[in-house]
Amino acid sequence: MSAREPTVSPEDDDLAGYDVNGRMCIVTRESGSPDELIRFVAAPDGTVVADLKRQLPGRGCWVKIDRSLVDKAVAKRLFARALKADVKAAADLGQTVETLLEQQLMQMMNMARKAGQFVTGSAKVDAAVRSGAAIAVFHATNAAEDGVRKIDQARKAWHLGMETEEEIPSYRLFSESEMEGLMGQNAFIHAAVLAGQAGEGVVKRAKMLEQYRNGGQSRAAGGAGRQKQ
């Protein structure tokens, strides 16, 4: 018996972006897994909102994790067509999504800290990298280059010594002052994420934010990632 495509009812929340191999971006028309896309729904007031946790009810549509594509969907009024409703996407929707991604990352960092899976300070970060405990490192965008270089050396030493496929990823996503605004006294210059559910959640959300800012690409695996200007 040949395989049948899944049945999609008219009430299916993602009918507008449905594809047999996954969900379809309303801008590129390319399909992908939910982890490669951002879901959008219509709020009760008729505005378009991002559903980062993919939990909001109702018909949804999808856009690849790329700020420029969200901006394009707004400019071309693709949300109304995809959601089959008279909805309005705010001109600053792209920035709103970025802010939500930033807040989501900071919340997960705080969770990882409480779980003992997030350490700060150059000495602790260096030790975590050299011991193999770190699964990712973070630097403030205004961190001294000498401090970043020393931790990069530790990352490279671990990579070469253990013959891993890639270096431990490194991210530079926020300045210290930006983190103070988002995290208060938990702001840092250097940090390392350790293995565990919360720690892995931090890495997942950091990658998502960097992809969103960088045209769907993450630059963290081989270096310090994108620096905000």
Side-chain angles (χ1 to χ4, degrees):
M1 180 181 294
S2 60
R4 296 178 58 189
E5 293 186 3
T7 301
V8 182
S9 71
E11 292 78 23
D12 185 89
D13 67 324
D14 295 299
L15 179 61
Y18 177 78
D19 180 84
V20 69
N21 295 317
R23 303 298 179 184
M24 181 181 292
C25 173
I26 63 174
V27 181
T28 67
R29 309 304 296 171
E30 296 173 349
S31 62
S33 71
D35 287 340
E36 298 171 322
L37 303 155
I38 298 174
R39 184 174 185 264
F40 292 86
V41 299
D45 63 359
T47 59
V48 176
V49 297
D51 178 19
L52 298 182
K53 295 184 178 180
R54 303 189 292 274
Q55 295 178 341
L56 296 177
R59 183 191 300 272
C61 63
W62 303 78
V63 179
K64 283 192 171 183
I65 302 173
D66 183 336
R67 165 75 180 268
S68 66
L69 294 180
V70 175
D71 290 338
K72 184 176 292 187
V74 172
K76 294 191 173 184
R77 301 180 180 178
L78 299 181
F79 288 109
R81 184 188 309 171
L83 295 172
K84 301 184 184 300
D86 183 20
V87 297
K88 298 185 182 300
D92 63 350
L93 179 61
Q95 179 57 54
T96 298
V97 173
E98 182 166 339
T99 299
L100 290 173
L101 290 171
E102 292 171 349
Q103 293 172 345
Q104 180 177 259
L105 172 58
M106 290 299 171
Q107 290 168 359
M108 186 55 68
M109 284 181 173
N110 285 331
M111 288 180 62
R113 187 189 299 271
K114 293 177 181 178
Q117 297 166 20
F118 194 89
V119 297
T120 58
S122 58
K124 290 183 179 180
V125 173
D126 187 88
V129 171
R130 293 185 184 278
S131 69
I135 60 174
V137 299
F138 289 82
H139 306 287
T141 58
N142 59 318
E145 290 305 316
D146 183 58
V148 175
R149 178 180 57 78
K150 290 178 180 178
I151 294 172
D152 281 348
Q153 289 175 341
R155 291 170 53 234
K156 186 172 293 293
W158 173 258
H159 168 58
L160 296 176
M162 301 303 294
E163 298 182 347
T164 57
E165 291 185 4
E166 296 181 341
E167 293 180 13
I168 297 167
S170 176
Y171 296 90
R172 298 181 77 169
L173 299 170
F174 306 98
S175 68
E176 185 181 14
S177 62
E178 287 172 329
M179 284 188 285
E180 287 175 350
L182 291 165
M183 303 178 75
Q185 63 182 6
N186 288 333
F188 58 83
I189 298 296
H190 306 286
V193 182
L194 311 182
Q197 185 174 2
E200 290 166 2
V202 171
V203 177
K204 178 180 179 180
R205 285 160 180 76
K207 182 178 179 180
M208 187 174 183
L209 175 58
E210 190 171 62
Q211 286 178 327
Y212 187 76
R213 291 177 173 176
N214 288 303
Q217 301 297 316
S218 176
R219 303 175 186 176
R226 168 186 179 271
Q227 295 188 32
K228 290 183 70 177
Q229 301 299 319

PDB file of all heavy atoms in Angstrom, residues 113 118-122 125 137-148 151 170-177 179-180 183 185-192:
ATOM      1  N   ARG A 113      21.838  29.288  34.987  1.00  0.00           N
ATOM      2  CA  ARG A 113      22.626  29.734  36.135  1.00  0.00           C
ATOM      3  C   ARG A 113      22.100  29.090  37.416  1.00  0.00           C
ATOM      4  O   ARG A 113      22.876  28.583  38.239  1.00  0.00           O
ATOM      5  CB  ARG A 113      22.563  31.261  36.243  1.00  0.00           C
ATOM      6  CG  ARG A 113      23.480  31.867  37.315  1.00  0.00           C
ATOM      7  CD  ARG A 113      23.165  33.341  37.480  1.00  0.00           C
ATOM      8  NE  ARG A 113      23.381  34.083  36.263  1.00  0.00           N
ATOM      9  CZ  ARG A 113      24.539  34.638  35.908  1.00  0.00           C
ATOM     10  NH1 ARG A 113      25.586  34.525  36.710  1.00  0.00           N
ATOM     11  NH2 ARG A 113      24.645  35.303  34.777  1.00  0.00           N
ATOM     12  N   PHE A 118      25.819  27.400  34.181  1.00  0.00           N
ATOM     13  CA  PHE A 118      26.232  28.666  33.576  1.00  0.00           C
ATOM     14  C   PHE A 118      27.213  29.331  34.529  1.00  0.00           C
ATOM     15  O   PHE A 118      26.854  29.640  35.667  1.00  0.00           O
ATOM     16  CB  PHE A 118      25.004  29.554  33.358  1.00  0.00           C
ATOM     17  CG  PHE A 118      25.232  30.727  32.444  1.00  0.00           C
ATOM     18  CD1 PHE A 118      25.055  30.613  31.086  1.00  0.00           C
ATOM     19  CD2 PHE A 118      25.612  31.970  32.957  1.00  0.00           C
ATOM     20  CE1 PHE A 118      25.248  31.695  30.238  1.00  0.00           C
ATOM     21  CE2 PHE A 118      25.811  33.052  32.125  1.00  0.00           C
ATOM     22  CZ  PHE A 118      25.626  32.917  30.759  1.00  0.00           C
ATOM     23  N   VAL A 119      28.452  29.502  34.099  1.00  0.00           N
ATOM     24  CA  VAL A 119      29.469  30.116  34.949  1.00  0.00           C
ATOM     25  C   VAL A 119      30.009  31.366  34.268  1.00  0.00           C
ATOM     26  O   VAL A 119      30.027  31.465  33.043  1.00  0.00           O
ATOM     27  CB  VAL A 119      30.622  29.140  35.246  1.00  0.00           C
ATOM     28  CG1 VAL A 119      30.114  27.935  36.013  1.00  0.00           C
ATOM     29  CG2 VAL A 119      31.329  28.687  33.962  1.00  0.00           C
ATOM     30  N   THR A 120      30.430  32.331  35.071  1.00  0.00           N
ATOM     31  CA  THR A 120      30.939  33.587  34.540  1.00  0.00           C
ATOM     32  C   THR A 120      32.317  33.889  35.124  1.00  0.00           C
ATOM     33  O   THR A 120      32.701  33.342  36.158  1.00  0.00           O
ATOM     34  CB  THR A 120      29.979  34.744  34.861  1.00  0.00           C
ATOM     35  OG1 THR A 120      29.805  34.838  36.282  1.00  0.00           O
ATOM     36  CG2 THR A 120      28.614  34.520  34.214  1.00  0.00           C
ATOM     37  N   GLY A 121      33.010  34.808  34.457  1.00  0.00           N
ATOM     38  CA  GLY A 121      34.353  35.163  34.877  1.00  0.00           C
ATOM     39  C   GLY A 121      35.381  34.448  34.010  1.00  0.00           C
ATOM     40  O   GLY A 121      35.247  33.248  33.744  1.00  0.00           O
ATOM     41  N   SER A 122      36.400  35.160  33.567  1.00  0.00           N
ATOM     42  CA  SER A 122      37.361  34.595  32.618  1.00  0.00           C
ATOM     43  C   SER A 122      38.049  33.338  33.143  1.00  0.00           C
ATOM     44  O   SER A 122      38.261  32.375  32.395  1.00  0.00           O
ATOM     45  CB  SER A 122      38.403  35.647  32.234  1.00  0.00           C
ATOM     46  OG  SER A 122      39.083  36.124  33.391  1.00  0.00           O
ATOM     47  N   VAL A 125      35.592  30.405  33.091  1.00  0.00           N
ATOM     48  CA  VAL A 125      35.289  30.042  31.705  1.00  0.00           C
ATOM     49  C   VAL A 125      36.462  29.279  31.094  1.00  0.00           C
ATOM     50  O   VAL A 125      36.287  28.239  30.452  1.00  0.00           O
ATOM     51  CB  VAL A 125      34.968  31.294  30.867  1.00  0.00           C
ATOM     52  CG1 VAL A 125      34.831  30.934  29.388  1.00  0.00           C
ATOM     53  CG2 VAL A 125      33.688  31.952  31.376  1.00  0.00           C
ATOM     54  N   VAL A 137      30.640  29.179  24.790  1.00  0.00           N
ATOM     55  CA  VAL A 137      31.094  30.334  25.558  1.00  0.00           C
ATOM     56  C   VAL A 137      30.456  31.596  24.994  1.00  0.00           C
ATOM     57  O   VAL A 137      30.064  31.646  23.826  1.00  0.00           O
ATOM     58  CB  VAL A 137      32.634  30.467  25.552  1.00  0.00           C
ATOM     59  CG1 VAL A 137      33.278  29.250  26.176  1.00  0.00           C
ATOM     60  CG2 VAL A 137      33.161  30.693  24.145  1.00  0.00           C
ATOM     61  N   PHE A 138      30.351  32.592  25.856  1.00  0.00           N
ATOM     62  CA  PHE A 138      29.771  33.880  25.479  1.00  0.00           C
ATOM     63  C   PHE A 138      30.706  34.996  25.931  1.00  0.00           C
ATOM     64  O   PHE A 138      31.329  34.907  26.993  1.00  0.00           O
ATOM     65  CB  PHE A 138      28.404  34.076  26.144  1.00  0.00           C
ATOM     66  CG  PHE A 138      27.329  33.197  25.590  1.00  0.00           C
ATOM     67  CD1 PHE A 138      27.195  31.873  26.010  1.00  0.00           C
ATOM     68  CD2 PHE A 138      26.442  33.672  24.640  1.00  0.00           C
ATOM     69  CE1 PHE A 138      26.214  31.049  25.501  1.00  0.00           C
ATOM     70  CE2 PHE A 138      25.446  32.860  24.121  1.00  0.00           C
ATOM     71  CZ  PHE A 138      25.328  31.550  24.548  1.00  0.00           C
ATOM     72  N   HIS A 139      30.797  36.038  25.115  1.00  0.00           N
ATOM     73  CA  HIS A 139      31.555  37.233  25.476  1.00  0.00           C
ATOM     74  C   HIS A 139      30.681  38.449  25.222  1.00  0.00           C
ATOM     75  O   HIS A 139      29.900  38.474  24.261  1.00  0.00           O
ATOM     76  CB  HIS A 139      32.818  37.379  24.619  1.00  0.00           C
ATOM     77  CG  HIS A 139      33.713  36.183  24.616  1.00  0.00           C
ATOM     78  ND1 HIS A 139      34.501  35.828  25.690  1.00  0.00           N
ATOM     79  CD2 HIS A 139      33.953  35.254  23.653  1.00  0.00           C
ATOM     80  CE1 HIS A 139      35.198  34.743  25.387  1.00  0.00           C
ATOM     81  NE2 HIS A 139      34.870  34.364  24.163  1.00  0.00           N
ATOM     82  N   ALA A 140      30.813  39.455  26.057  1.00  0.00           N
ATOM     83  CA  ALA A 140      30.179  40.740  25.763  1.00  0.00           C
ATOM     84  C   ALA A 140      30.848  41.317  24.518  1.00  0.00           C
ATOM     85  O   ALA A 140      32.037  41.085  24.272  1.00  0.00           O
ATOM     86  CB  ALA A 140      30.344  41.695  26.943  1.00  0.00           C
ATOM     87  N   THR A 141      30.103  42.049  23.714  1.00  0.00           N
ATOM     88  CA  THR A 141      30.688  42.608  22.501  1.00  0.00           C
ATOM     89  C   THR A 141      31.785  43.624  22.814  1.00  0.00           C
ATOM     90  O   THR A 141      32.657  43.873  21.977  1.00  0.00           O
ATOM     91  CB  THR A 141      29.617  43.288  21.632  1.00  0.00           C
ATOM     92  OG1 THR A 141      28.962  44.319  22.394  1.00  0.00           O
ATOM     93  CG2 THR A 141      28.579  42.286  21.154  1.00  0.00           C
ATOM     94  N   ASN A 142      31.764  44.197  24.018  1.00  0.00           N
ATOM     95  CA  ASN A 142      32.794  45.158  24.411  1.00  0.00           C
ATOM     96  C   ASN A 142      33.865  44.524  25.291  1.00  0.00           C
ATOM     97  O   ASN A 142      34.655  45.224  25.933  1.00  0.00           O
ATOM     98  CB  ASN A 142      32.165  46.354  25.135  1.00  0.00           C
ATOM     99  CG  ASN A 142      31.392  45.947  26.396  1.00  0.00           C
ATOM    100  OD1 ASN A 142      30.678  44.954  26.385  1.00  0.00           O
ATOM    101  ND2 ASN A 142      31.545  46.715  27.457  1.00  0.00           N
ATOM    102  N   ALA A 143      33.919  43.187  25.318  1.00  0.00           N
ATOM    103  CA  ALA A 143      34.950  42.499  26.099  1.00  0.00           C
ATOM    104  C   ALA A 143      36.333  42.811  25.522  1.00  0.00           C
ATOM    105  O   ALA A 143      36.494  42.945  24.303  1.00  0.00           O
ATOM    106  CB  ALA A 143      34.705  40.998  26.092  1.00  0.00           C
ATOM    107  N   ALA A 144      37.335  42.908  26.388  1.00  0.00           N
ATOM    108  CA  ALA A 144      38.709  43.161  25.942  1.00  0.00           C
ATOM    109  C   ALA A 144      39.165  42.021  25.045  1.00  0.00           C
ATOM    110  O   ALA A 144      38.957  40.848  25.355  1.00  0.00           O
ATOM    111  CB  ALA A 144      39.629  43.293  27.152  1.00  0.00           C
ATOM    112  N   GLU A 145      39.780  42.375  23.932  1.00  0.00           N
ATOM    113  CA  GLU A 145      40.184  41.358  22.972  1.00  0.00           C
ATOM    114  C   GLU A 145      41.206  40.386  23.556  1.00  0.00           C
ATOM    115  O   GLU A 145      41.257  39.222  23.161  1.00  0.00           O
ATOM    116  CB  GLU A 145      40.740  42.019  21.711  1.00  0.00           C
ATOM    117  CG  GLU A 145      39.685  42.734  20.883  1.00  0.00           C
ATOM    118  CD  GLU A 145      38.522  41.830  20.508  1.00  0.00           C
ATOM    119  OE1 GLU A 145      38.757  40.674  20.100  1.00  0.00           O
ATOM    120  OE2 GLU A 145      37.363  42.268  20.636  1.00  0.00           O
ATOM    121  N   ASP A 146      42.011  40.850  24.491  1.00  0.00           N
ATOM    122  CA  ASP A 146      42.998  39.959  25.092  1.00  0.00           C
ATOM    123  C   ASP A 146      42.304  38.830  25.857  1.00  0.00           C
ATOM    124  O   ASP A 146      42.721  37.671  25.799  1.00  0.00           O
ATOM    125  CB  ASP A 146      43.921  40.736  26.033  1.00  0.00           C
ATOM    126  CG  ASP A 146      45.020  39.863  26.619  1.00  0.00           C
ATOM    127  OD1 ASP A 146      45.798  39.282  25.836  1.00  0.00           O
ATOM    128  OD2 ASP A 146      45.094  39.754  27.852  1.00  0.00           O
ATOM    129  N   GLY A 147      41.232  39.177  26.581  1.00  0.00           N
ATOM    130  CA  GLY A 147      40.486  38.165  27.320  1.00  0.00           C
ATOM    131  C   GLY A 147      39.800  37.181  26.390  1.00  0.00           C
ATOM    132  O   GLY A 147      39.785  35.968  26.650  1.00  0.00           O
ATOM    133  N   VAL A 148      39.238  37.681  25.302  1.00  0.00           N
ATOM    134  CA  VAL A 148      38.600  36.808  24.316  1.00  0.00           C
ATOM    135  C   VAL A 148      39.636  35.887  23.679  1.00  0.00           C
ATOM    136  O   VAL A 148      39.408  34.688  23.497  1.00  0.00           O
ATOM    137  CB  VAL A 148      37.882  37.642  23.236  1.00  0.00           C
ATOM    138  CG1 VAL A 148      37.324  36.737  22.139  1.00  0.00           C
ATOM    139  CG2 VAL A 148      36.768  38.483  23.848  1.00  0.00           C
ATOM    140  N   ILE A 151      40.618  32.871  25.858  1.00  0.00           N
ATOM    141  CA  ILE A 151      39.595  31.824  25.876  1.00  0.00           C
ATOM    142  C   ILE A 151      39.519  31.132  24.516  1.00  0.00           C
ATOM    143  O   ILE A 151      39.308  29.914  24.435  1.00  0.00           O
ATOM    144  CB  ILE A 151      38.240  32.410  26.306  1.00  0.00           C
ATOM    145  CG1 ILE A 151      38.324  32.866  27.775  1.00  0.00           C
ATOM    146  CG2 ILE A 151      37.117  31.394  26.129  1.00  0.00           C
ATOM    147  CD1 ILE A 151      37.124  33.626  28.265  1.00  0.00           C
ATOM    148  N   SER A 170      31.352  29.883  20.129  1.00  0.00           N
ATOM    149  CA  SER A 170      31.538  31.113  20.891  1.00  0.00           C
ATOM    150  C   SER A 170      30.626  32.187  20.311  1.00  0.00           C
ATOM    151  O   SER A 170      30.530  32.344  19.099  1.00  0.00           O
ATOM    152  CB  SER A 170      33.002  31.562  20.793  1.00  0.00           C
ATOM    153  OG  SER A 170      33.206  32.796  21.436  1.00  0.00           O
ATOM    154  N   TYR A 171      29.949  32.919  21.194  1.00  0.00           N
ATOM    155  CA  TYR A 171      28.973  33.925  20.771  1.00  0.00           C
ATOM    156  C   TYR A 171      29.303  35.290  21.363  1.00  0.00           C
ATOM    157  O   TYR A 171      29.709  35.391  22.523  1.00  0.00           O
ATOM    158  CB  TYR A 171      27.558  33.531  21.234  1.00  0.00           C
ATOM    159  CG  TYR A 171      27.037  32.260  20.632  1.00  0.00           C
ATOM    160  CD1 TYR A 171      27.269  31.031  21.262  1.00  0.00           C
ATOM    161  CD2 TYR A 171      26.310  32.261  19.455  1.00  0.00           C
ATOM    162  CE1 TYR A 171      26.781  29.850  20.723  1.00  0.00           C
ATOM    163  CE2 TYR A 171      25.814  31.089  18.903  1.00  0.00           C
ATOM    164  CZ  TYR A 171      26.062  29.888  19.546  1.00  0.00           C
ATOM    165  OH  TYR A 171      25.575  28.721  19.011  1.00  0.00           O
ATOM    166  N   ARG A 172      29.103  36.324  20.550  1.00  0.00           N
ATOM    167  CA  ARG A 172      29.166  37.711  21.024  1.00  0.00           C
ATOM    168  C   ARG A 172      27.901  38.400  20.531  1.00  0.00           C
ATOM    169  O   ARG A 172      27.813  38.866  19.398  1.00  0.00           O
ATOM    170  CB  ARG A 172      30.428  38.409  20.499  1.00  0.00           C
ATOM    171  CG  ARG A 172      31.713  37.764  20.990  1.00  0.00           C
ATOM    172  CD  ARG A 172      32.961  38.481  20.490  1.00  0.00           C
ATOM    173  NE  ARG A 172      33.225  39.703  21.220  1.00  0.00           N
ATOM    174  CZ  ARG A 172      34.373  40.389  21.103  1.00  0.00           C
ATOM    175  NH1 ARG A 172      35.311  39.982  20.271  1.00  0.00           N
ATOM    176  NH2 ARG A 172      34.557  41.492  21.806  1.00  0.00           N
ATOM    177  N   LEU A 173      26.903  38.443  21.394  1.00  0.00           N
ATOM    178  CA  LEU A 173      25.574  38.885  20.987  1.00  0.00           C
ATOM    179  C   LEU A 173      25.122  40.197  21.628  1.00  0.00           C
ATOM    180  O   LEU A 173      24.277  40.893  21.074  1.00  0.00           O
ATOM    181  CB  LEU A 173      24.545  37.796  21.329  1.00  0.00           C
ATOM    182  CG  LEU A 173      24.768  36.439  20.642  1.00  0.00           C
ATOM    183  CD1 LEU A 173      23.847  35.382  21.251  1.00  0.00           C
ATOM    184  CD2 LEU A 173      24.536  36.555  19.152  1.00  0.00           C
ATOM    185  N   PHE A 174      25.674  40.520  22.817  1.00  0.00           N
ATOM    186  CA  PHE A 174      25.232  41.703  23.546  1.00  0.00           C
ATOM    187  C   PHE A 174      26.430  42.423  24.153  1.00  0.00           C
ATOM    188  O   PHE A 174      27.417  41.799  24.529  1.00  0.00           O
ATOM    189  CB  PHE A 174      24.298  41.320  24.699  1.00  0.00           C
ATOM    190  CG  PHE A 174      23.118  40.489  24.305  1.00  0.00           C
ATOM    191  CD1 PHE A 174      23.140  39.104  24.471  1.00  0.00           C
ATOM    192  CD2 PHE A 174      21.978  41.073  23.789  1.00  0.00           C
ATOM    193  CE1 PHE A 174      22.053  38.324  24.125  1.00  0.00           C
ATOM    194  CE2 PHE A 174      20.881  40.309  23.434  1.00  0.00           C
ATOM    195  CZ  PHE A 174      20.919  38.928  23.606  1.00  0.00           C
ATOM    196  N   SER A 175      26.296  43.731  24.297  1.00  0.00           N
ATOM    197  CA  SER A 175      27.280  44.479  25.076  1.00  0.00           C
ATOM    198  C   SER A 175      26.963  44.294  26.553  1.00  0.00           C
ATOM    199  O   SER A 175      25.872  43.825  26.916  1.00  0.00           O
ATOM    200  CB  SER A 175      27.223  45.964  24.721  1.00  0.00           C
ATOM    201  OG  SER A 175      26.000  46.537  25.176  1.00  0.00           O
ATOM    202  N   GLU A 176      27.891  44.644  27.403  1.00  0.00           N
ATOM    203  CA  GLU A 176      27.658  44.515  28.840  1.00  0.00           C
ATOM    204  C   GLU A 176      26.465  45.366  29.271  1.00  0.00           C
ATOM    205  O   GLU A 176      25.637  44.936  30.074  1.00  0.00           O
ATOM    206  CB  GLU A 176      28.905  44.915  29.626  1.00  0.00           C
ATOM    207  CG  GLU A 176      28.769  44.691  31.124  1.00  0.00           C
ATOM    208  CD  GLU A 176      30.003  45.112  31.902  1.00  0.00           C
ATOM    209  OE1 GLU A 176      30.856  45.823  31.336  1.00  0.00           O
ATOM    210  OE2 GLU A 176      30.112  44.739  33.084  1.00  0.00           O
ATOM    211  N   SER A 177      26.350  46.561  28.737  1.00  0.00           N
ATOM    212  CA  SER A 177      25.245  47.432  29.124  1.00  0.00           C
ATOM    213  C   SER A 177      23.903  46.878  28.656  1.00  0.00           C
ATOM    214  O   SER A 177      22.889  46.987  29.352  1.00  0.00           O
ATOM    215  CB  SER A 177      25.454  48.845  28.563  1.00  0.00           C
ATOM    216  OG  SER A 177      25.484  48.835  27.148  1.00  0.00           O
ATOM    217  N   MET A 179      23.218  43.727  28.343  1.00  0.00           N
ATOM    218  CA  MET A 179      22.904  42.627  29.252  1.00  0.00           C
ATOM    219  C   MET A 179      22.430  43.134  30.603  1.00  0.00           C
ATOM    220  O   MET A 179      21.561  42.534  31.233  1.00  0.00           O
ATOM    221  CB  MET A 179      24.119  41.714  29.412  1.00  0.00           C
ATOM    222  CG  MET A 179      24.348  40.817  28.208  1.00  0.00           C
ATOM    223  SD  MET A 179      25.636  39.591  28.477  1.00  0.00           S
ATOM    224  CE  MET A 179      27.098  40.592  28.374  1.00  0.00           C
ATOM    225  N   GLU A 180      22.993  44.246  31.057  1.00  0.00           N
ATOM    226  CA  GLU A 180      22.543  44.821  32.325  1.00  0.00           C
ATOM    227  C   GLU A 180      21.069  45.191  32.240  1.00  0.00           C
ATOM    228  O   GLU A 180      20.310  45.020  33.194  1.00  0.00           O
ATOM    229  CB  GLU A 180      23.387  46.035  32.687  1.00  0.00           C
ATOM    230  CG  GLU A 180      24.796  45.671  33.152  1.00  0.00           C
ATOM    231  CD  GLU A 180      25.658  46.890  33.396  1.00  0.00           C
ATOM    232  OE1 GLU A 180      25.217  48.009  33.017  1.00  0.00           O
ATOM    233  OE2 GLU A 180      26.755  46.741  33.950  1.00  0.00           O
ATOM    234  N   MET A 183      19.399  41.568  32.082  1.00  0.00           N
ATOM    235  CA  MET A 183      19.667  40.599  33.144  1.00  0.00           C
ATOM    236  C   MET A 183      19.968  41.218  34.492  1.00  0.00           C
ATOM    237  O   MET A 183      20.127  40.504  35.477  1.00  0.00           O
ATOM    238  CB  MET A 183      20.857  39.714  32.744  1.00  0.00           C
ATOM    239  CG  MET A 183      20.697  38.961  31.446  1.00  0.00           C
ATOM    240  SD  MET A 183      22.182  37.994  31.041  1.00  0.00           S
ATOM    241  CE  MET A 183      22.043  36.637  32.201  1.00  0.00           C
ATOM    242  N   GLN A 185      21.907  42.413  37.548  1.00  0.00           N
ATOM    243  CA  GLN A 185      23.198  42.104  38.147  1.00  0.00           C
ATOM    244  C   GLN A 185      23.824  40.815  37.605  1.00  0.00           C
ATOM    245  O   GLN A 185      24.979  40.511  37.899  1.00  0.00           O
ATOM    246  CB  GLN A 185      23.052  41.977  39.658  1.00  0.00           C
ATOM    247  CG  GLN A 185      22.141  40.850  40.119  1.00  0.00           C
ATOM    248  CD  GLN A 185      22.009  40.801  41.634  1.00  0.00           C
ATOM    249  OE1 GLN A 185      22.514  41.672  42.344  1.00  0.00           O
ATOM    250  NE2 GLN A 185      21.325  39.790  42.128  1.00  0.00           N
ATOM    251  N   ASN A 186      23.092  40.061  36.820  1.00  0.00           N
ATOM    252  CA  ASN A 186      23.636  38.831  36.243  1.00  0.00           C
ATOM    253  C   ASN A 186      24.385  39.063  34.939  1.00  0.00           C
ATOM    254  O   ASN A 186      24.821  38.111  34.293  1.00  0.00           O
ATOM    255  CB  ASN A 186      22.513  37.815  35.997  1.00  0.00           C
ATOM    256  CG  ASN A 186      21.988  37.214  37.285  1.00  0.00           C
ATOM    257  OD1 ASN A 186      22.698  37.129  38.279  1.00  0.00           O
ATOM    258  ND2 ASN A 186      20.728  36.798  37.280  1.00  0.00           N
ATOM    259  N   ALA A 187      24.554  40.318  34.544  1.00  0.00           N
ATOM    260  CA  ALA A 187      25.311  40.633  33.328  1.00  0.00           C
ATOM    261  C   ALA A 187      26.743  40.139  33.480  1.00  0.00           C
ATOM    262  O   ALA A 187      27.268  40.026  34.588  1.00  0.00           O
ATOM    263  CB  ALA A 187      25.285  42.134  33.072  1.00  0.00           C
ATOM    264  N   PHE A 188      27.382  39.830  32.358  1.00  0.00           N
ATOM    265  CA  PHE A 188      28.722  39.260  32.404  1.00  0.00           C
ATOM    266  C   PHE A 188      29.585  39.792  31.252  1.00  0.00           C
ATOM    267  O   PHE A 188      29.070  40.362  30.285  1.00  0.00           O
ATOM    268  CB  PHE A 188      28.660  37.734  32.318  1.00  0.00           C
ATOM    269  CG  PHE A 188      27.962  37.224  31.073  1.00  0.00           C
ATOM    270  CD1 PHE A 188      28.630  37.097  29.857  1.00  0.00           C
ATOM    271  CD2 PHE A 188      26.617  36.891  31.113  1.00  0.00           C
ATOM    272  CE1 PHE A 188      27.988  36.651  28.723  1.00  0.00           C
ATOM    273  CE2 PHE A 188      25.953  36.442  29.962  1.00  0.00           C
ATOM    274  CZ  PHE A 188      26.647  36.322  28.770  1.00  0.00           C
ATOM    275  N   ILE A 189      30.893  39.583  31.379  1.00  0.00           N
ATOM    276  CA  ILE A 189      31.832  39.864  30.291  1.00  0.00           C
ATOM    277  C   ILE A 189      32.170  38.566  29.557  1.00  0.00           C
ATOM    278  O   ILE A 189      32.171  38.503  28.338  1.00  0.00           O
ATOM    279  CB  ILE A 189      33.122  40.516  30.816  1.00  0.00           C
ATOM    280  CG1 ILE A 189      32.811  41.861  31.475  1.00  0.00           C
ATOM    281  CG2 ILE A 189      34.127  40.722  29.669  1.00  0.00           C
ATOM    282  CD1 ILE A 189      32.248  42.890  30.519  1.00  0.00           C
ATOM    283  N   HIS A 190      32.465  37.508  30.331  1.00  0.00           N
ATOM    284  CA  HIS A 190      32.738  36.187  29.775  1.00  0.00           C
ATOM    285  C   HIS A 190      31.878  35.168  30.515  1.00  0.00           C
ATOM    286  O   HIS A 190      31.698  35.257  31.736  1.00  0.00           O
ATOM    287  CB  HIS A 190      34.214  35.808  29.946  1.00  0.00           C
ATOM    288  CG  HIS A 190      35.176  36.812  29.413  1.00  0.00           C
ATOM    289  ND1 HIS A 190      35.402  36.996  28.067  1.00  0.00           N
ATOM    290  CD2 HIS A 190      35.985  37.705  30.058  1.00  0.00           C
ATOM    291  CE1 HIS A 190      36.296  37.948  27.901  1.00  0.00           C
ATOM    292  NE2 HIS A 190      36.665  38.399  29.093  1.00  0.00           N
ATOM    293  N   ALA A 191      31.354  34.194  29.796  1.00  0.00           N
ATOM    294  CA  ALA A 191      30.539  33.148  30.414  1.00  0.00           C
ATOM    295  C   ALA A 191      30.708  31.848  29.651  1.00  0.00           C
ATOM    296  O   ALA A 191      31.054  31.842  28.467  1.00  0.00           O
ATOM    297  CB  ALA A 191      29.067  33.548  30.444  1.00  0.00           C
ATOM    298  N   ALA A 192      30.459  30.749  30.345  1.00  0.00           N
ATOM    299  CA  ALA A 192      30.481  29.425  29.722  1.00  0.00           C
ATOM    300  C   ALA A 192      29.206  28.691  30.097  1.00  0.00           C
ATOM    301  O   ALA A 192      28.728  28.782  31.227  1.00  0.00           O
ATOM    302  CB  ALA A 192      31.699  28.628  30.178  1.00  0.00           C
TER     303      ALA A 192
END
